[in-house]
Amino acid sequence: MLPERTRSRVRLRVEGVVQGVGFRPFVHGLATRLGLAGSVRNDVRGVLIEVEGDAEVVAAFVAQLRSGGPPMAVVERITTEALEPFGDETFVIDASDGVGPRAALVSPDTATCPDCLQELADPDDRRFGYPFVNCTNCGPRFTIVADVPYDRVNTTMARFVMCDKCRHEYRDPADRRFHAEPVCCPSCGPALRLVDASGTVLCGEPLHVAAGLLRGDAVVAVKGLGGYHLAALASSDDAVGALRARKHREEKPFAVMVGDLDAARRLCAVDDEAARVLASPRRPIVLLARRPGAPVAPAVAPGNRALGLMLPYTPLHHLLLAAVDAPLVLTSGNVSDEPIVTDDGDARARLRWIADAFLVHDRPIHIRADDSVARVFGGREMLLRRSRGYAPEPVVLAHPVARHVLGCGAELKNTFCVAKGPHAFVSQHMGDLENYETLQAYTDGIAHFCRLFDVRPEVVAHDLHPEYLSTKYASTRADLDGVELVGVQHHHAHIASCLADNGVDQPVIGIAFDGLGYGTDGTIWGGEVLLADLRDAERIGHLATVAMPGGTAAIREPWRMAAAYLDGVYGDAVPSSLDVKTRNLGQWRDVLAVAASGINSPLTSSAGRLFDAVAALLGVRDTVSYEGQAAIELEQHADPNEPGAYDAPTHDDGGLVIRSGELVRGAVEDLLDGTPVPVIAARFHNGVAALVARVAVEARDRTGVERVALSGGVFQNVLLLERAVARLKRAGLDVLVHSRVPPNDGGISLGQVAVAAARTS
Ligand code: ZN
Ligand code: ZN
Ligand code: FE
């Protein structure tokens, strides 16, 4: 005999990014399809669901909910609780949101979804060709939210009153636009305009006139999601050359937006994983190897064999790319290193000498967010800049923080991070904290995050460098009542960031290779081997130190590092036939004299400076115009098929000292033998990978720790990372690398938070 059918009722609490992402209509749809009764509502912790019906069907509902929600949702946790059935018969969406401490999360901006794209292209749809079409599954979020809760009145859409049709969609639980806060249409939403620098509207249909200007080699400022872009035809020498000259940007590559994946494949090698990252709803810029002969003006990325590509992520981009029908350079709308412009008047004032016209609209940008940048490593994305599309999605910490924490970040590629409970909210990319505008954006950004996530920092973590503006900012917060400051050494923060990125709270051998960070012994660090956990770090090894002749001048002029390294290896017997010396003969002696005097020539163990030295030695680059340029180009020169490696022995000097100068010696000997530069560059990369593996093995033998974490900007180098990881794994070590936050200083704020939380819990 069959058992009698039993009725059950279950309450489910869903936590994560579950509000403003179409969760309630999704649940409503699922429950009604299964014929279940109950309710769903948002509250301060996320989404609360009750379902009632046949026990087996209720179980199926729970299973389906666990296996996936709507596309923009990030479900962190679902907890269930059995209740007594009480026999309701319909499923309702309860619109009342509770009050209390805020825990619901604001979601990142998300690329236009397939349903909206279909409407955009459908002449019979009322949103046909409308540049602001969006729904619960896509559209602007973080950049338009001024306050919480996430309701239309608290966004920059508040000024637009919904028309009857939009309101109907917004209120219909079965509609894709149910409670889509930015919902709008041509009759009630923002509108596009094309204006000149004085704000005068130019005649004609804005999009088509703008496309015509672009095809005629003009530079057009385009108001995007997180700021203004400057657009120019990527294939045009004249257009890109003009953009570069007017923007005062000498060599730093421009990103290119292509219409679709096929267009991307015409410019670059795009494998499956790269295609997945390019087309993901986050739509980062992805750095890819350029195809020989790709139709892109040389001025797009001078001296660079890679190109940064992205796909359209707003309806406006889709329409613009279709109208121009060619790839566009789309670079931040700013002058030199200032923050990207978001305000309309500001854009016309500051970009008037750069842009020939301005494609604008009347939906304000509340929060600035640059495009994110990623590479692909080991079958997953590795972020180099975490910004639009990612922020403010939290990183879930291994342990909830006991007190609210603020991590102030570093100086270059700054981000900050606020943490509360299990969540660490890493900010969007702030840029280099070296001018007033960026610092202002930084302090405003911290205030905004604190309001958005209801955080009042009691613990403030900062770098040890006394001159970083982020450190100085931290000290201003120390004056507030009950705030505890926690200084975190730069490379410890890098390793802790990698641990937090991977959700690990165990001791590791941390290898932190970067440009520069403040050490604890009066030298500048950057090639560090640490025995670290989230709480503490001990320096157990490092690259041998070398002088940086002229201090910051040695960063701008890598040939100075070559001189310092060659002096260390050969003393007075530097082979006179080396080109790097011949090219810089006029200053060679003076620079070495400065280094020897120690005046303004700090000692450093930096791995970044070692890459600079070898790049200059090989004639790749004597001077740079942006951070990391020499190392980036050196990586591109290396022959990936060359297996050879230079050897860098270690000696024990109370800690492991890695004689990195021996890598330079190896390169010099090959150079004098006439070995091709790509082979030498590869042997150098392999040599660094080999030394990473060897010191890690030595550290394991000394400490018994079997796991290695790789962090620091040098590990943005995928060739090095790949070789290092392979060797470490072959040695039987477990390896952690970055994926969710950058290995560069953009990840420092998360590391600081992780350390401060561990120390103060
Ligand atoms: Zn959509
Ligand atoms: Zn409308
Ligand atoms: Fe660093």
Side-chain angles (χ1 to χ4, degrees):
M1 201 174 94
L2 287 170
E4 198 181 328
R5 294 228 149 201
T6 53
R7 197 170 169 87
S8 76
R9 186 176 187 92
V10 174
R11 174 183 289 157
L12 299 99
R13 164 159 296 292
V14 188
E15 289 168 281
V17 181
V18 292
Q19 293 188 5
V21 293
F23 214 95
R24 286 175 297 173
F26 173 83
V27 169
H28 179 266
L30 183 61
T32 40
R33 266 199 312 283
L34 293 172
L36 295 172
S39 66
V40 57
R41 66 186 173 98
N42 283 350
D43 68 6
V44 291
R45 288 174 58 195
V47 168
L48 196 66
I49 305 165
E50 289 190 15
V51 280
E52 179 171 333
D54 182 89
E56 281 176 32
V57 182
V58 167
F61 173 90
V62 174
Q64 285 192 43
L65 196 71
R66 285 190 187 281
S67 70
M72 279 177 73
V74 182
V75 175
E76 288 172 2
R77 195 162 45 169
I78 300 179
T79 45
T80 58
E81 181 191 345
L83 303 176
E84 277 303 312
F86 66 73
D88 48 354
E89 282 170 2
T90 55
F91 194 91
V92 294
I93 295 182
D94 182 350
S96 66
D97 296 357
V99 287
R102 298 163 186 166
L105 307 176
V106 175
S107 67
D109 303 283
T110 300
T112 316
C113 75
D115 289 337
C116 285
L117 283 180
Q118 210 155 34
E119 293 173 350
L120 190 67
D122 177 2
D124 294 330
D125 193 279
R126 67 192 189 93
R127 294 188 178 88
F128 172 61
Y130 182 55
F132 305 96
V133 56
N134 68 81
C135 71
T136 42
N137 298 325
C138 74
R141 295 290 187 276
F142 174 57
T143 53
I144 62 165
V145 174
D147 202 353
V148 281
Y150 173 61
D151 282 332
R152 189 170 176 111
V153 291
N154 286 326
T155 72
T156 62
M157 285 299 291
R159 60 168 69 180
F160 300 98
V161 179
M162 277 181 228
C163 69
D164 288 346
K165 283 180 179 165
C166 286
R167 188 177 306 279
H168 183 80
E169 293 168 331
Y170 180 85
R171 286 182 175 165
D172 177 3
D175 195 277
R176 200 172 95 244
R177 294 196 166 87
F178 177 68
H179 274 270
E181 303 302 342
V183 68
C184 59
C185 74
S187 57
C188 68
L192 209 55
R193 279 177 307 141
L194 187 70
V195 300
D196 66 14
S198 69
T200 308
V201 175
L202 304 177
C203 294
E205 203 285 309
L207 222 123
H208 288 96
V209 178
L213 287 171
L214 286 165
R215 278 197 303 265
D217 290 343
V219 173
V220 177
V222 180
K223 187 175 180 181
L225 209 45
Y228 272 75
H229 278 122
L230 290 159
L233 204 59
S235 59
S236 163
D237 290 338
D238 288 349
V240 182
L243 174 57
R244 203 166 267 291
R246 296 180 200 168
K247 203 171 182 286
H248 303 296
R249 179 146 144 167
E250 288 165 16
E251 285 162 327
K252 200 170 182 181
F254 289 143
V256 173
M257 185 176 272
V258 289
D260 53 30
L261 283 173
D262 286 340
R265 290 191 179 99
R266 283 194 284 275
L267 301 184
C268 291
V270 181
D271 62 17
D272 289 352
E273 186 56 24
R276 199 189 59 74
V277 178
L278 272 171
S280 82
R282 302 175 186 277
R283 298 281 158 112
I285 295 167
V286 184
L287 301 187
L288 298 162
R290 191 197 304 216
R291 282 192 190 287
V296 168
V300 170
N304 212 301
R305 299 180 190 194
L307 268 185
L309 299 187
M310 61 179 151
L311 297 184
Y313 54 83
T314 68
L316 175 56
H317 293 143
H318 281 283
L319 294 169
L320 187 62
L321 265 286
V324 176
D325 196 23
L328 289 176
V329 161
L330 217 57
T331 187
S332 326
N334 57 3
V335 183
S336 299
D337 293 325
E338 288 176 4
I340 183 168
V341 176
T342 55
D343 176 78
D344 299 332
D346 214 25
R348 291 197 306 273
R350 290 212 259 165
L351 306 178
R352 65 184 305 135
W353 308 115
I354 305 179
D356 299 300
F358 295 77
L359 188 58
V360 302
H361 58 75
D362 49 352
R363 185 182 72 207
I365 298 169
H366 187 75
I367 285 296
R368 174 183 292 116
D370 293 79
D371 292 317
S372 296
V373 183
R375 293 188 82 169
V376 175
F377 174 75
R380 59 178 186 170
E381 70 186 339
M382 172 172 77
L383 286 174
L384 307 187
R385 184 205 281 165
R386 184 184 185 275
S387 208
R388 190 260 313 146
Y390 296 83
E393 188 181 304
V395 173
V396 178
L397 297 166
H399 310 291
V401 298
R403 292 191 278 163
H404 294 184
V405 188
L406 165 67
C408 295
E411 179 91 340
L412 300 178
K413 300 183 167 71
N414 176 278
T415 62
F416 61 82
C417 175
V418 297
K420 172 186 173 182
H423 293 133
F425 301 94
V426 182
S427 77
Q428 75 275 33
H429 170 78
M430 290 281 133
D432 300 347
L433 293 188
E434 54 188 15
N435 59 50
Y436 175 77
E437 286 78 9
T438 314
L439 187 64
Q440 192 61 45
Y442 172 78
T443 51
D444 291 352
I446 291 173
H448 184 62
F449 267 59
C450 286
R451 193 168 55 243
L452 223 48
F453 304 112
D454 197 23
V455 172
R456 283 170 301 277
E458 294 173 71
V459 179
V460 175
H462 59 86
D463 200 273
L464 297 182
H465 200 308
E467 293 306 315
Y468 279 1
L469 291 178
S470 56
T471 308
K472 292 180 175 173
Y473 173 81
S475 68
T476 66
R477 301 210 57 133
D479 302 337
L480 304 172
D481 272 353
V483 167
E484 182 180 349
L485 289 192
V486 178
V488 182
Q489 198 278 326
H490 188 89
H491 301 94
H492 183 204
H494 271 305
I495 299 305
S497 163
C498 188
L499 290 174
D501 193 333
N502 289 280
V504 170
D505 177 16
Q506 296 284 317
V508 287
I509 299 157
I511 312 239
F513 279 11
D514 68 352
L516 303 170
Y518 197 80
T520 56
D521 65 349
T523 68
I524 297 176
W525 293 8
E528 310 310 311
V529 185
L530 308 175
L531 178 61
D533 58 18
L534 290 180
R535 185 176 287 267
D536 294 302
E538 179 196 348
R539 191 192 202 199
I540 56 174
H542 59 88
L543 299 189
T545 57
V546 59
M548 281 173 58
T552 51
I555 300 174
R556 289 193 304 269
E557 299 178 15
W559 74 267
R560 289 173 180 250
M561 291 312 304
Y565 261 104
L566 289 168
D567 187 55
V569 175
Y570 293 101
D572 289 335
V574 175
S576 56
S577 58
L578 286 177
D579 284 344
V580 67
K581 187 171 176 184
T582 328
R583 287 194 307 269
N584 299 286
L585 200 57
Q587 293 181 77
W588 196 269
R589 272 176 186 287
D590 291 348
V591 159
L592 287 181
V594 166
S597 74
I599 296 166
N600 192 22
S601 298
L603 290 175
T604 185
S605 52
S606 163
R609 298 289 86 78
L610 171 65
F611 274 77
D612 281 359
V614 172
L617 176 69
L618 299 187
V620 172
R621 201 144 263 294
D622 278 349
T623 61
V624 295
S625 63
Y626 62 92
E627 201 219 351
Q629 186 179 11
I632 288 167
E633 293 179 14
L634 184 64
E635 176 189 354
Q636 294 172 2
H637 273 82
D639 175 357
N641 299 314
E642 166 60 33
Y646 302 128
D647 188 31
T650 54
H651 66 261
D652 202 322
D653 186 13
L656 291 170
V657 179
I658 303 153
R659 280 148 58 196
S660 42
E662 294 306 304
L663 300 175
V664 174
R665 187 195 297 276
V668 168
E669 284 169 6
D670 270 351
L671 202 54
L672 295 174
D673 278 353
T675 308
V677 164
V679 173
I680 304 178
R683 288 178 182 169
F684 169 70
H685 276 82
N686 296 339
V688 176
L691 80 80
V692 164
R694 196 147 45 78
V695 295
V697 167
E698 279 186 52
R700 171 186 59 190
D701 294 347
R702 289 177 184 202
T703 63
V705 174
E706 305 263 355
R707 189 182 267 160
V708 180
L710 303 178
S711 189
V714 168
F715 288 110
Q716 295 172 97
N717 183 322
V718 165
L719 179 67
L720 171 66
L721 189 59
E722 205 174 78
R723 302 285 153 103
V725 169
R727 284 174 189 260
L728 288 164
K729 286 190 173 160
R730 247 181 281 146
L733 288 151
D734 186 20
V735 191
L736 304 178
V737 299
H738 281 274
S739 68
R740 296 187 295 172
V741 296
N744 62 41
D745 284 5
I748 287 284
S749 61
L750 176 64
Q752 290 172 341
V753 160
V755 172
R759 283 193 191 154
T760 59
S761 65

